[in-house]
């Protein structure tokens, strides 16, 4: 069904389940419910994968550092899900060798006990011994899945031979494997399309929000026309990520489930740094234990991330202070490589929907997920709190199981080994600026594009990799507009809108 047909169908037929939020957790749950024959509608107030899910560090990872918090269940689950992502979506999730430069031998030994006693505000830098023990556990969690090789430790001499630009003050490097999600935006869309293929019982709309309730009816707003309409679901899944509490408030529920933190990244065009890291992610911490990553992304380098508690999840930006911090951190590990602000081709920020806690250090807040249940009259509302990109499938499965039990339906199929997008759609995507007219037309027809920026920021990596210039943006608007029936004015307005978003949110000036 196209957008119009979906909107019309809702007038005569309400879904059993309404999912609010088209990030990875909403979409993952949508796919699982669709697979099990549940009549489901997903609404996303903006574009699919435009919230926290678009701002991630693109790592499919267990989170080795959470072992220090004693979060063994979380890390085991995430390692297993990382392996499943590599196996089920091989064209979009690749094994990622990850190297930790280590500057000390014994430091950090007390982190874990001090955390347990609640006496640790800022963890000390982890030394070789702590990292070794962590990696032994990490490898063990992989069990029989063997999607990636085991870790290796290398001494200073061997490390410097391999990475001549590394800081000579290191004493070891440790290399282990995680997963690289090449395009979280595309992976999310593949899941949307997989759900759609299950039949007309799976409907979804981007640019539609949940805006209120009227008795036992949910009020939805078409963000393109401003029109509102009502549906009567039996169950609501609030997958609004950092906006969970706000969304609950719009339907009269007073919750305080998330304590969001902001994280930013830069994408750099620095060929020397790109060459120095090879195909490895460099993953390390600064002196106060905060995590830094330097990440190979095609021919560019991505650097992140910060972890700053915030109140307002809207309008977060990568600040100049964060840029200074990232540049300083690169210097700590690769001191002879110069990074200049002019090399930044893209910046982005997002908000982690972490469970609300009184922890003093943002890095110590759990990344685990859980479902909170409230009632709106007779209608249960499940709020999906916390979680990592990596564990979306498991979180979606847990949500689906609970929904099936509530609806009195059996589970017919599960997603543990289900391929995503069958690899076919993802492989068709060309990751270069050289798209043909026909490819853009096909995307316009099949991929729910509403605005030019949907194409530039999320259906392709053009913005992300710094490949845009003004004439390319105009050409894309022209081609997209032909397929979507835009007149000359609309094409120009879309160019203005895209250029404003690029400048405002990502500091890309064209
Ligand atoms: C900086 C950063 C780095 C991260 N790095 C990693 C990583 O490397 N690996 C990893 O595994 N995880 C990572 N994460 C965590 C991961 O990205 C998030 O936990 C996950 O994406 C959350 O997904 P979500 O679907 O719950 O939320 P979101 O993706 O935010 O989706 C919620 C959606 O709800 C929509 N919405 C809000 N209100 C309404 C409404 N009223 N009606 C309709 N729609 C609404 C929003 O527009 C949004 O699109 C990172 C997160 C951040 C911010």
């Amino acid at each position: 069904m196209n957008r119009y047909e979906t909107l019309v169908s809702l007038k005569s037929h309400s879904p059993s389940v309404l999912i609010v939020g088209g990030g990875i957790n909403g979409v993952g749950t949508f796919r699982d419910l669709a697979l099990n024959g549940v009549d489901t509608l997903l609404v996303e107030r903006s574009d699919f994968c435009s919230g926290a899910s678009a701002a991630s560090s693109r790592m499919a990872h267990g989170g080795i550092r959470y072992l220090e918090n004693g979060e063994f269940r979380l890390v085991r689950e995430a390692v297993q899900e990382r392996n499943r992502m590599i196996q089920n979506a091989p064209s979009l999730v690749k094994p990622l060798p990850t190297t930790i430069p280590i500057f000390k031998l014994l430091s950090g030994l007390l982190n874990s006990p001090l955390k347990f006693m609640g006496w640790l505000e800022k963890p000390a830098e982890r030394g070789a011994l702590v990292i070794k023990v962590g990696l032994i556990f990490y490898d063990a969690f992989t069990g029989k899945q063997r999607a990636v090789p085991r870790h290796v430790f290398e001494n200073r001499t061997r490390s410097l031979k391999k990475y001549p630009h590394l800081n000579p003050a290191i004493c070891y490097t440790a290399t282990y494997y995680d997963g690289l999600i090449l395009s979280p935006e595309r992976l999310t869309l593949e899941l949307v399309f997989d759900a759609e293929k299950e039949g007309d019982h799976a409907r979804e709309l981007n640019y539609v929000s949940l805006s209120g309730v009227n008795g036992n009816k949910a009020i939805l707003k078409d963000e393109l026309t401003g029109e509102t309409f009502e549906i009567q679901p039996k169950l609501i899944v609030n997958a609004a990520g950092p906006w969970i509490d706000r969304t609950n408030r719009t339907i009269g529920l007073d919750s305080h489930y998330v304590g969001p933190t902001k994280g930013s990244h830069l994408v750099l065009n620095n060929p020397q740094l790109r060459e120095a890291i090879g195909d490895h992610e460099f993953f390390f911490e600064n002196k106060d234990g905060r995590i830094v990553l330097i990440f190979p992304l095609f021919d560019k380098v991505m650097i992140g991330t910060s972890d700053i508690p915030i109140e307002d999840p809207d309008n977060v930006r990568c600040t100049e202070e964060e840029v200074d911090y990232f540049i300083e951190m690169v210097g700590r590990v690769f001191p002879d490589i110069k990074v200049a602000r002019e090399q930044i081709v893209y910046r982005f920020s997002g908000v982690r929907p972490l469970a609300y806690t009184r922890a003093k250090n943002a890095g110590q807040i759990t990344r685990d997920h859980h479902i909170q249940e409230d009632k709106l009259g007779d209608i249960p509302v499940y709020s999906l709190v916390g979680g990592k990109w990596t564990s979306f499938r498991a979180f979606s499965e847990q949500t689906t199981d609970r929904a099936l039990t509530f609806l009195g339906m059996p589970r017919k199929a599960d997603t543990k080994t289900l391929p995503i997008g069958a690899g076919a759609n993802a492989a068709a995507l060309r990751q270069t600026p050289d798209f043909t007219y026909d490819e853009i037309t096909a995307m316009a027809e099949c991929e729910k594009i509403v605005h030019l920026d949907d194409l530039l920021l999320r259906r392709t990596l053009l913005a992300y990799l710094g490949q845009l210039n003004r004439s390319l943006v105009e050409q894309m608007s022209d081609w997209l507009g032909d397929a979507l029936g835009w007149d000359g004015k609309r094409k120009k307005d879309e160019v203005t809108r895209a250029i404003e978003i690029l400048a405002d949110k990502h500091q890309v000036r064209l």
Side-chain angles (χ1 to χ4, degrees), residues 220-510:
L220 302 181
K221 180 177 171 201
D222 184 335
E223 295 290 340
L224 302 182
T225 61
E227 194 191 327
T228 58
F229 55 99
E230 295 179 354
I231 59 164
Q232 200 172 347
K234 295 181 187 139
L235 167 68
I236 296 176
V237 176
N238 178 354
W243 297 273
I244 279 179
D245 293 318
R246 288 191 179 190
T247 299
N248 276 339
R249 280 196 283 279
T250 64
I251 55 175
L253 297 173
D254 189 19
S255 66
H256 196 177
Y257 296 143
V258 289
T261 70
K262 172 183 120 164
S264 299
H265 294 83
L266 303 178
V267 182
L268 277 184
N269 182 15
N270 183 322
Q272 197 191 8
L273 183 59
R274 180 67 189 80
E275 197 185 330
I277 61 175
D279 288 331
H280 286 224
E281 173 192 24
F282 276 75
F283 184 78
F284 57 100
E285 53 194 359
N286 72 7
K287 289 185 178 134
D288 65 7
R290 278 187 289 167
I291 293 298
V292 185
L293 48 96
I294 304 178
F295 200 95
L297 191 67
F298 301 89
D299 63 338
K300 304 291 185 301
V301 182
M302 186 176 88
I303 303 174
T305 174
S306 40
D307 206 353
I308 305 166
I310 48 135
E311 293 292 326
D312 177 9
D314 288 317
N315 300 318
V316 287
R317 298 288 182 274
C318 175
T319 61
E320 295 309 317
E321 291 75 37
E322 287 175 290
V323 173
D324 289 340
Y325 168 69
F326 293 141
I327 292 178
E328 190 193 325
M329 285 303 115
V330 174
R332 175 159 147 74
V333 176
F334 295 103
D336 65 353
I337 297 183
K338 289 275 158 292
V339 174
R341 274 186 149 67
E342 305 77 74
Q343 294 169 332
I344 302 171
V345 297
Y346 196 71
R347 305 180 192 192
F348 60 100
S349 292
V351 177
R352 299 176 184 84
L354 304 181
Y356 176 76
T357 151
R358 292 185 192 282
K360 290 180 193 142
N361 180 336
Q364 285 176 256
I365 303 172
T366 181
R367 266 56 176 169
D368 211 345
H369 52 255
H370 66 276
I371 304 167
Q372 290 278 1
E373 183 168 342
D374 292 282
K375 275 277 168 71
L376 198 62
D378 290 341
I379 306 175
V381 178
Y382 300 167
S383 294
L384 308 193
V385 181
K388 290 152 60 67
W389 227 106
T390 313
S391 28
F392 85 88
R393 196 211 59 82
F395 197 9
S396 303
E397 185 172 81
Q398 288 146 21
T399 310
T400 302
D401 282 341
R402 196 191 276 218
L404 289 172
T405 305
F406 168 74
L407 295 168
M409 294 172 71
R411 184 175 264 288
K412 296 191 297 189
D414 77 50
T415 54
K416 286 191 181 66
T417 55
L418 191 68
I420 298 174
N425 288 339
L429 176 69
R430 309 253 203 293
Q431 313 270 16
T432 77
D434 307 316
F435 289 95
T436 65
Y437 184 90
D438 285 350
E439 284 164 342
I440 298 298
T441 305
M443 280 195 215
E445 282 168 1
C446 307
E447 300 200 351
K448 303 180 191 301
I449 295 174
V450 171
H451 289 294
L452 175 61
D453 51 285
D454 299 338
L455 176 78
L456 303 179
L457 272 73
R458 288 171 290 276
R459 300 302 184 280
T460 68
L461 292 172
L462 289 170
Y464 214 97
L465 296 179
Q467 290 171 334
L468 289 178
N469 53 50
R470 204 182 171 102
S471 71
L472 184 60
V473 172
E474 285 166 357
Q475 183 180 50
M476 288 292 165
S477 183
D478 203 29
W479 288 3
L480 193 60
D482 286 353
L484 294 177
W486 295 345
D487 60 16
K489 178 174 180 311
R490 173 78 191 269
K491 286 178 181 174
K492 277 196 187 135
D493 289 349
E494 288 291 334
V495 171
T496 308
R497 175 187 150 102
I499 285 177
E500 280 173 0
I501 289 174
L502 283 161
D504 177 29
K505 288 198 170 175
H506 307 291
Q507 288 85 43
V508 173
R509 298 183 206 289
L510 302 179

Side-chain angles (χ1 to χ4, degrees), residues 20-26 43-47 49-61 208-210 239-243 247 261 263-265 305 350-353 384 386-391:
V20 184
I24 189 55
N25 287 322
V43 294
E44 162 56 52
R45 67 174 181 174
S46 176
D47 193 13
C49 194
S50 57
S53 301
S56 92
S57 306
R58 299 181 171 235
M59 287 161 64
H61 69 148
V208 169
S209 59
L210 173 67
W243 297 273
T247 299
T261 70
S264 299
H265 294 83
T305 174
V351 177
R352 299 176 184 84
L384 308 193
K388 290 152 60 67
W389 227 106
T390 313
S391 28

Side-chain angles (χ1 to χ4, degrees), residues 51 131 155 158 176 189 227 236 388 394 426 493:
I131 292 171
N155 64 22
R158 284 172 67 102
Y176 67 104
L189 264 185
E227 194 191 327
I236 296 176
K388 290 152 60 67
D493 289 349

